[in-house]
Amino acid sequence: MRDLQDQYGRSFKTLRVSLINTCNLGCVYCTMADTDTKVSNHHQKTNISASELLRIIGYLHQELNLETIRLTGGEPLLYHDLIPVVAGIKAMGIDEIKLTTNGFLLERMAFKLHKAGMKSINVSLDAINEDVFFKMSKRSDVGRILKGIKTSIDCGLDVKLNAVIMKGMNEDQIFPLLDYAFENNIQIRFLEVMAMGHLYKQSEKYLFTQHDILNAIASRYNFERLDRKASATSNYWKTKEGHVFGVIANESEPFCGDCNRLRLDSQGNIFGCLSDNHPINIRVIDDTLELRQKLKLALAQKQTVRFVGSELSMLEIGG
Ligand code: SF4
């Protein structure tokens, strides 16, 4: 679909699919207050079936010639039909199939994922220290996630780490995470906290900025900035020793200007922007013209400058 482009030259090339709106962790920046101590039973709406999901993805691919599909959640490894969905996307001729996971179920899933066509995974890991990990996620057993990461690398999956750094919560984990990543030759990206869900309008108190993160790392390493790739969310730096790390600076260095991301939730709604809470339902569409109109609406949802926050939880839309 050649005409789907906004006045800034933006179109949709990456589809992020939230497969499921439940999770087996209760992270502070996603579902839980920092004073909660247990993972609660999150409400679950009925998700669309895997075959319906593949039909919608196929339809979107026909219109948009998608380059990348990232599967998210909630926690996508809890999605029962994950492997058939990965294989179905691969069969559409899309090679860049990626996943964002908390890694809890990764050890037993990594081989199957790779075999089905998964190329790379981002593992969310906000602490190496067990107590801090519990404070951040309300679950224990970092070792289980590290085993999942090792198995994934051994299987041939490209692995990156994502660590949300929150002021007063886990900024002391920057070096333990960096040491682990450097020792194991894994690329790590630190993320600024986002004003989403229950942190909408109150993320400021937790904001540990890109500047803060770089300042901390500079106390031990010399590094220089690398060029940013088009439509990338992360800025990257390379240390004198040759290690690369990134910062996803949603707040202090927004990246709306060349954003190419479209989101599909587990109910068959698309969102053109993470800042927009208005779902556009494409579940029952089987007319190309109508789909194009809805995609135009989604494109018009994009912010021009920066993410402005959203009441939608990451559990619903995948962050
Ligand atoms: S706020 Fe919207 S336009 Fe900006 S980067 Fe996020 S999804 Fe893209």
Side-chain angles (χ1 to χ4, degrees), residues 94-135:
I94 300 172
D95 289 331
E96 294 296 313
I97 310 173
K98 304 177 178 184
L99 178 102
T100 299
T101 172
N102 61 38
F104 235 65
L105 302 173
L106 198 51
E107 195 182 7
R108 67 174 188 233
M109 293 293 290
F111 178 73
K112 286 188 252 180
L113 283 168
H114 184 252
K115 198 165 165 231
M118 179 67 59
K119 202 160 185 176
S120 77
I121 54 173
N122 290 352
V123 180
S124 302
L125 180 66
D126 305 320
I128 294 287
N129 175 279
E130 197 66 66
D131 293 339
V132 183
F133 181 76
F134 184 82
K135 196 161 72 163

Side-chain angles (χ1 to χ4, degrees), residues 17 21 33 36 65 131-132 183:
V17 184
N21 52 16
D36 290 340
N65 198 17
D131 293 339
V132 183
E183 275 162 25

Side-chain angles (χ1 to χ4, degrees), residues 10 255-256 259 261 263 272-275 302-303 306-307:
R10 299 180 297 186
F255 31 79
C256 297
C259 173
R261 291 170 285 285
R263 289 174 165 83
C273 178
L274 205 50
S275 296
K302 284 210 174 299
Q303 290 293 321
R306 61 185 307 121
F307 174 66

Side-chain angles (χ1 to χ4, degrees), residues 18 24 67 179 268 295-297 307:
S18 169
N24 44 356
E67 290 165 2
D179 290 346
L295 284 168
K296 276 185 189 159
L297 282 179
F307 174 66

Side-chain angles (χ1 to χ4, degrees), residues 10-15 67 231 258-262 302:
R10 299 180 297 186
S11 59
F12 295 127
K13 284 294 164 199
T14 296
L15 178 67
E67 290 165 2
S231 301
D258 57 359
C259 173
N260 69 357
R261 291 170 285 285
L262 175 69
K302 284 210 174 299

Side-chain angles (χ1 to χ4, degrees), residues 240-297:
K240 229 165 111 188
E241 296 77 15
H243 299 298
V244 174
F245 67 91
V247 180
I248 301 183
N250 195 66
E251 285 298 321
S252 46
E253 205 175 310
F255 31 79
C256 297
D258 57 359
C259 173
N260 69 357
R261 291 170 285 285
L262 175 69
R263 289 174 165 83
L264 171 66
D265 75 5
S266 57
Q267 316 296 306
N269 300 307
I270 52 171
F271 296 81
C273 178
L274 205 50
S275 296
D276 199 299
N277 294 336
H278 299 100
I280 301 171
N281 195 293
I282 58 165
R283 191 172 175 177
V284 289
I285 292 181
D286 40 30
D287 168 83
T288 306
L289 204 66
E290 199 186 345
L291 179 62
R292 285 183 185 177
Q293 278 166 353
K294 297 219 167 179
L295 284 168
K296 276 185 189 159
L297 282 179

